[in-house]
DNA sequence: ACTCTGAGCGCC
DNA sequence: AAACGGCGCTCTGAGT
């Protein structure tokens, strides 16, 4: 089924590496997948009545045989079966059941869009008044983004009803039945049913015709998923993973608190900064042949582009993905270093940077305003970000509306300042130390790295991976400063230390030897080759996972001895059109996902601890390798013993996958920005 | 009016 | 052929 050659197709690799059985229990996966590209017709489970019938009417007996007492989630199982595939119901049903419900969805979309258009016409408004149509940016629809029509799926039926009840035919009819609405080029008109076709206008039922198969197929999909999970020894992993659902729900509904006063304070400061910088930019531009610069609200627009590249004739050293000259923060950094001091150009670039930073921060604050809800305590508000445990191709959760995993901690723009505990509460955060470095280090047995983690107080590295690499890449600069803790960082904080940090992240995230990006970050040709020569074991591990990914299509997390010692969570790696997995992906996915598996298991045990001790304390935010806690305020860090216990629990989860771990603790009594 | 993409930028 | 991983959000500007 799966031989190791370059021409293997995407789905031929979906084989369990242990049993060598296809991960797919369906009869012919290839033909099913092909149907994704060929819209087909599905037998719609249709009910003649207007009202959506009970599920049991559609699928008799289902309720009796199905274990509904346990919350099953096809998103969780779908992700476990193939982390890299679309997990929306339409795609999953197509893949696992060979049913295409897309046409029903499309019909609903078409009808809703048409109804929305109709409601906006003068004739309609004259007859029925102004109806409210969902629009982007409305205050009480904060999560309405592009697919606003989805908020109006009730509309076709409502329009049909109003049109029918307003018609003369309706009142004239003894045996009252809804008529059909016919769209004509000159508007809308009514015809009695006999002139159209037998039955009703589709708008009466377009929503239920969408909803019925939607709920119906879900049951069969769950069955297909479960079969697949059992067949591939993934059931225990699934059950463990399902514990996440109620816990994330609880986290979401509790929310995080923020203080409006602090928010206003920042908004005022950033608004002033943005306006001042923007004015200066425009003034400078006007000195170039009276250039009328229109600054974008953020990022880039044609006016700014024209001024930078055509009028000022700046030559960007970096190109965007599409090959156009870029002017992002790296380019700005470049020009700050190279443009002549006191030149108009330099001032412009500086001011543009100030404006962008202020605008970006303001943008985030605006989005927090959009989503925040009043709390019971004066001037405090709540934000309930949505957490999606199947939102990434790895085991990370994604966060949405707003994304609370990207709250700025930039100097001068630290937005964590607005978040913080209510009066009478306090926040704590615990994060893993070097989680994503420790995993490959211990897994590969890379002694040099392990020593750093195990001797955090010893010279020359004092527990710092950055310093290790600095010693390899800049030996002449490093070794004279090796004996004193912090000396290298102090002397080269904005140059070599910063560069080696950038290098480390590039290397950690898989920058390829030969591409030169890591070397560029380190400002030293050959840097990556030097580091890789020292870290042979880690390099071998990288190659191992690249090979595995090419062979099987996925890599696995390190097996958890408490859940399933035989296999880990399979994480699928996408292939390029030439059939091979990009070599930057496999180790990355493996490490990132193992890290998140550990953190997820830790969350369960921490929750147990909190409840077992009857604490009025909660996990309120999760940021990949970090948990934020809301505790009742106790003076003199009176909760410290609990936090230390939790820290121990979190670290102990490393034992399940054989990675020794430690955690760091921060105390936020006033706000999230301030830590002690 | 709606749809889609690219660019830019925040976090880990 | 080309390689720095994972995300979400906003605005732009062109296309439909």
């Amino acid at each position: 089924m799966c031989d190791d050659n370059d021409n293997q197709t995407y789905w031929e690799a979906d084989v369990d590496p242990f049993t060598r059985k296809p991960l797919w229990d369906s009869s012919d996966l290839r033909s099913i997948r092909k149907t994704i590209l060929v819209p087909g017709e599905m037998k719609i489970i249709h009910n003649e009545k207007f009202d959506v019938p009970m599920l049991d009417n559609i699928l008799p007996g289902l309720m009796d045989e199905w274990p509904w007492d346990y919350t099953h989630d096809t998103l969780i199982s779908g992700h476990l079966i193939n982390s890299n595939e679309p997990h929306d119901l339409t795609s999953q049903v197509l893949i696992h059941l060979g049913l295409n419900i897309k046409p029903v969805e499309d019909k609903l979309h078409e009808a809703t869009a048409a109804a929305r258009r109709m409601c906006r016409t003068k004739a309609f408004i004259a007859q029925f008044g102004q109806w409210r149509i969902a629009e982007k940016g409305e205050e009480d629809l904060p999560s309405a983004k592009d697919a606003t029509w989805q908020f109006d799926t009730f509309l076709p039926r409502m329009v049909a009803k109003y049109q029918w009840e307003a018609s003369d035919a309706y009142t004239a009819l003894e045996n009252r039945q809804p008529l059909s609405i016919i769209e004509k080029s000159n508007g809308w008109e009514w015809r009695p049913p006999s002139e159209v076709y037998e039955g009703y206008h589709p708008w009466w039922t377009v929503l239920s015709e969408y909803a019925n198969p939607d709920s119906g197929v879900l049951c069969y999909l769950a069955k297909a998923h479960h079969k697949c999970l059992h067949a591939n020894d993934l059931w225990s992993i699934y059950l463990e993973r399902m514990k996440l659902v109620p816990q994330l729900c609880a986290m979401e509904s509790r929310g995080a608190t923020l203080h409006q006063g602090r928010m206003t304070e920042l908004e005022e400061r950033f608004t002033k900064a943005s306006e001042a910088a923007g004015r200066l930019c425009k003034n400078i531009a006007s000195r170039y042949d009276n250039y009328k610069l229109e600054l974008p609200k953020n990022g880039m627009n044609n006016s700014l582009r024209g001024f930078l590249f055509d009028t000022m004739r700046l030559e960007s050293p970096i190109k965007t993905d599409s090959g156009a000259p870029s002017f992002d923060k790296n380019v700005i950094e470049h020009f700050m270093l190279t443009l002549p001091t006191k030149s108009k150009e330099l001032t412009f670039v500086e001011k543009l940077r100030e404006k962008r930073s202020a605008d970006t921060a303001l943008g985030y604050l605006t989005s927090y305003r959009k989503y925040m809800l009043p709390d019971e305590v004066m001037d405090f508000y709540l934000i309930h970000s949505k957490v999606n445990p199947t939102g990434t191709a790895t085991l990370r959760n994604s966060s949405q509306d707003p994304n609370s995993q990207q709250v700025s901690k930039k100097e001068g723009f630290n937005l964590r300042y607005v978040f913080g505990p209510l009066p009478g509460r306090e926040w704590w955060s615990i994060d893993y130390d070097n989680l994503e470095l420790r995993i490959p280090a211990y897994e590969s047995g890379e002694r040099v790295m392990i020593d750093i983690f195990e001797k955090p107080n010893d010279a020359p590295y004092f527990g710092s991976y950055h310093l290790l690499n600095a010693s390899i890449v800049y030996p002449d600069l490093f070794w004279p400063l090796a004996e004193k803790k912090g000396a290298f960082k102090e002397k080269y904080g904005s140059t070599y230390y910063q560069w080696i940090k950038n290098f480390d992240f590039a290397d950690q995230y898989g920058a390829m030897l030969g591409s030169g990006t890591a070397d560029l970050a380190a400002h030293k040709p050959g840097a990556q080759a030097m580091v890789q020569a020292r870290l042979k074991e880690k390099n071998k591990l990288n190659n191992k996972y690249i090979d595995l990914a090419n062979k099987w299509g996925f890599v696995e997390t390190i097996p958890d001895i408490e859940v399933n010692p035989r296999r880990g969570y399979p994480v699928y790696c996408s292939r390029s059109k030439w059939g091979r997995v990009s070599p930057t992906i496999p180790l990355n996915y493996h490490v990132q996902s193992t890290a998140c598996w550990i953190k997820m298991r830790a969350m369960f045990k921490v929750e147990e601890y909190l409840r077992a001790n009857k604490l009025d304390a909660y996990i309120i935010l999760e940021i990949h390798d970090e948990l934020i806690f809301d505790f009742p305020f106790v003076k003199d860090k009176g909760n410290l013993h609990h936090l230390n216990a939790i820290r121990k629990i979190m670290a102990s989860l490393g034992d399940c996958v054989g990675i020794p771990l430690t955690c760091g603790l921060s105390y936020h009594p006033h706000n999230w920005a301030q830590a002690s």
Side-chain angles (χ1 to χ4, degrees):
Chain A
M1 177 93 186
C2 171
D3 49 20
D4 200 13
N5 72 59
D6 283 0
N7 296 325
Q8 72 188 18
T9 54
Y10 171 52
W11 44 81
E12 273 169 346
D14 296 343
V15 178
D16 183 270
F18 294 86
T19 62
R20 303 227 160 200
K21 279 188 285 191
L23 264 179
W24 304 90
D25 201 58
S26 321
S27 52
D28 185 350
L29 187 65
R30 185 192 291 246
S31 72
I32 288 170
R33 284 231 168 102
K34 271 186 183 162
T35 62
I36 294 176
L37 304 171
V38 187
E41 281 300 318
M42 169 194 173
K43 192 172 164 278
I44 297 167
I45 302 160
H46 188 112
N47 192 296
E48 295 300 321
K49 290 183 226 158
F50 294 153
D51 294 320
V52 180
M54 290 294 292
L55 205 58
D56 219 30
N57 293 343
I58 312 171
L59 302 167
L62 190 84
M63 302 297 242
D64 308 327
E65 63 174 282
W66 199 251
W68 287 104
D69 54 324
Y70 196 92
T71 318
H72 288 77
D73 189 322
T74 55
L75 281 168
I76 298 285
S77 50
H79 188 276
L80 177 52
I81 289 164
N82 188 326
S83 56
N84 212 11
E85 221 160 29
H87 303 118
D88 62 283
L89 188 64
T90 307
S91 306
Q92 285 288 298
V93 155
L94 197 50
I95 291 162
H96 290 269
L97 306 177
L99 299 176
N100 188 1
I101 58 172
K102 188 74 174 21
V104 201
E105 223 175 83
D106 291 343
K107 272 184 197 159
L108 179 64
H109 185 179
E110 273 166 37
T112 308
R116 277 160 62 93
R117 275 195 301 275
M118 190 184 173
C119 289
R120 289 195 186 99
T121 60
K122 274 185 197 154
F124 187 93
I125 293 169
Q127 191 177 1
F128 299 111
Q130 187 89 46
W131 288 16
R132 189 175 160 199
I133 310 296
E135 300 290 353
K136 203 171 161 175
E138 287 183 322
E139 219 176 71
D140 53 349
L141 291 175
S143 55
K145 296 204 168 72
D146 287 327
T148 40
W149 69 270
Q150 288 177 359
F151 292 89
D152 289 334
T153 51
F154 73 98
L155 213 48
R157 182 178 166 90
M158 204 50 76
V159 168
K161 180 171 148 62
Y162 271 68
Q163 291 280 22
W164 163 233
E165 289 177 359
S167 69
D168 295 339
Y170 173 80
T171 37
L173 277 178
E174 215 166 279
N175 176 22
R176 285 176 181 170
Q177 281 187 34
L179 299 189
S180 193
I181 315 162
I182 305 297
E183 191 172 12
K184 297 191 83 182
S185 53
N186 61 349
W188 297 80
E189 69 174 22
W190 294 97
R191 302 249 179 102
S194 58
E195 287 183 38
V196 190
Y197 64 94
E198 278 185 28
Y200 313 111
H201 189 277
W203 282 17
W204 282 101
T205 52
V206 65
L207 180 55
S208 58
E209 278 171 23
Y210 159 80
N212 286 347
D214 216 62
S215 46
V217 294
L218 186 64
C219 309
Y220 288 114
L221 177 64
K223 276 190 166 178
H225 277 180
H226 291 186
K227 233 173 143 179
C228 184
L229 294 175
H230 281 297
N232 291 284
D233 197 13
L234 292 168
W235 187 249
S236 53
I237 297 177
Y238 171 66
L239 291 182
E240 189 66 18
R241 189 87 178 137
M242 281 299 289
K243 292 184 190 167
L244 196 53
V245 178
Q247 194 162 341
L248 292 183
C249 284
M251 193 171 92
E252 259 187 34
S253 54
R254 176 151 296 273
T257 40
L258 61 83
H259 185 250
Q260 179 163 239
R262 297 201 294 268
M263 202 162 174
T264 312
E265 179 193 329
L266 292 191
E267 279 166 347
E268 283 170 1
R269 193 198 306 163
F270 299 152
T271 305
K272 270 187 202 154
S274 167
E275 283 170 0
R279 262 199 307 277
L280 267 160
C281 284
K282 287 189 176 186
N283 285 345
I284 294 171
S286 69
R287 286 195 257 154
Y288 285 80
D289 242 359
N290 209 16
Y291 192 97
K292 293 263 184 299
L293 177 63
E294 296 291 332
L295 283 164
K297 286 191 180 172
N298 66 27
M300 181 61 84
N301 66 2
N302 283 341
S303 175
L304 178 58
R305 200 174 280 124
F307 182 66
L308 290 168
F309 301 124
D310 301 335
T311 305
M312 284 207 297
R313 302 204 163 274
L314 296 180
E315 292 216 6
S316 172
I318 298 176
K319 298 263 178 285
T320 65
D321 288 345
S322 62
S326 164
F327 213 88
D328 64 9
K329 56 183 179 179
N330 298 314
V331 178
I332 288 184
E333 190 73 28
H334 161 82
F335 282 120
M336 305 255 297
L337 294 170
T338 54
L339 285 172
T341 41
K342 294 195 178 165
S343 62
K344 280 184 295 196
E345 289 85 352
L346 179 63
T347 316
F348 184 89
V349 169
E350 280 171 356
K351 291 297 154 189
L352 180 62
R353 182 168 79 159
E354 283 174 26
K355 180 165 193 303
R356 279 205 184 151
S357 299
D359 287 345
T360 302
L362 276 173
Y364 281 106
L365 291 174
T366 306
S367 76
Y368 301 146
R369 279 220 183 270
K370 190 167 146 191
Y371 289 102
M372 69 195 198
L373 298 169
D375 201 349
E376 287 163 15
V377 183
M378 181 77 133
D379 216 28
F380 275 89
Y381 285 77
L382 272 165
I383 278 188
H384 305 272
S385 294
K386 295 178 209 157
V387 192
N388 182 354
T390 61
T392 74
T394 71
L395 285 196
R396 282 197 177 176
N397 301 328
S398 64
S399 166
Q400 214 186 341
D401 294 344
N403 182 347
S404 55
Q405 293 175 330
Q406 59 175 166
V407 183
S408 177
K409 41 198 278 197
K410 280 168 76 84
E411 205 183 334
F413 300 95
N414 192 333
L415 302 186
R416 298 189 176 196
Y417 175 62
V418 305
F419 292 89
L422 291 179
R425 309 286 300 180
E426 63 187 25
W427 282 15
W428 295 82
S429 61
I430 304 182
D431 65 333
Y432 284 98
D433 298 324
N434 290 321
L435 180 54
E436 292 194 4
L437 280 176
R438 279 171 182 258
I439 291 167
Y442 281 98
E443 193 179 358
S444 68
E446 188 60 75
R447 211 52 243 177
V448 204
M449 291 174 78
I450 292 172
D451 280 347
I452 288 178
F453 304 134
E454 298 194 343
K455 297 170 189 164
N457 301 316
D458 293 6
Y461 304 126
F462 301 100
S464 164
Y465 183 66
H466 299 320
L467 289 185
L468 165 66
N469 282 344
S471 80
I472 299 171
V473 177
Y474 321 117
D476 299 344
L477 302 172
F478 176 80
W479 289 110
L481 301 168
E483 288 310 308
K484 197 176 152 226
K485 190 171 180 178
F488 184 83
K489 186 176 175 182
E490 200 175 305
K491 184 156 181 192
Y492 299 116
S494 60
T495 54
Y496 293 98
Y497 184 77
Q498 184 60 48
W499 296 342
I500 204 68
K501 258 175 85 172
N502 296 346
F503 169 91
D504 287 345
F505 288 119
D507 187 58
Q508 185 185 333
Y509 291 140
M512 292 295 292
L513 187 64
S515 73
T517 52
D519 290 357
L520 227 58
H523 290 70
K524 171 116 181 188
Q528 200 174 13
M530 291 157 84
V531 168
Q532 289 202 357
R534 278 287 294 279
L535 304 177
K536 287 206 181 74
E537 298 305 320
K538 189 181 156 221
N539 212 23
K540 268 194 233 163
L541 188 75
N542 189 25
N543 291 332
K544 174 185 150 187
Y545 280 106
I546 292 172
D547 291 344
L548 278 175
N550 276 310
K551 196 166 181 189
W552 303 116
F554 56 84
V555 296
E556 288 187 3
T557 59
I558 300 177
D560 182 327
I561 51 166
E562 286 185 2
V563 175
N564 185 344
R566 297 170 300 280
R567 67 176 302 184
Y569 194 110
V571 185
Y572 280 73
C573 305
S574 57
R575 291 171 186 273
S576 71
K577 56 180 162 174
W578 293 275
R580 299 198 63 89
V581 172
S582 165
T584 55
I585 286 179
L587 182 62
N588 206 298
Y589 276 27
H590 166 75
V591 169
Q592 190 178 108
S593 298
T594 301
C596 285
W597 177 268
I598 294 168
K599 181 219 60 194
M600 175 199 77
R601 299 260 359 258
M603 283 177 73
F604 303 157
K605 300 222 171 177
V606 167
E607 190 68 24
E608 275 172 27
Y609 176 89
L610 295 176
R611 303 291 81 88
N613 288 279
K614 299 197 179 357
L615 294 175
D616 177 26
Y618 311 90
I619 300 172
I620 52 162
L621 291 173
E622 171 268 333
I623 304 145
H624 309 310
D625 67 342
E626 181 181 355
L627 298 177
I628 317 293
F629 297 88
D630 188 320
F631 268 73
F633 177 77
V634 180
K635 66 177 164 70
D636 302 326
K637 293 193 181 180
N639 284 317
L640 189 61
H641 63 289
H642 285 309
L643 272 301
N644 277 329
I646 292 170
R647 182 150 74 142
K648 242 187 199 161
I649 292 171
M650 285 173 66
S652 75
L653 265 299
D655 299 346
C656 299
V657 294
I659 310 287
L661 295 175
T662 61
C663 294
L665 176 65
S666 299
Y667 182 45
H668 314 281
H670 304 300
N671 63 67
W672 193 14
Q674 193 182 65
S676 58

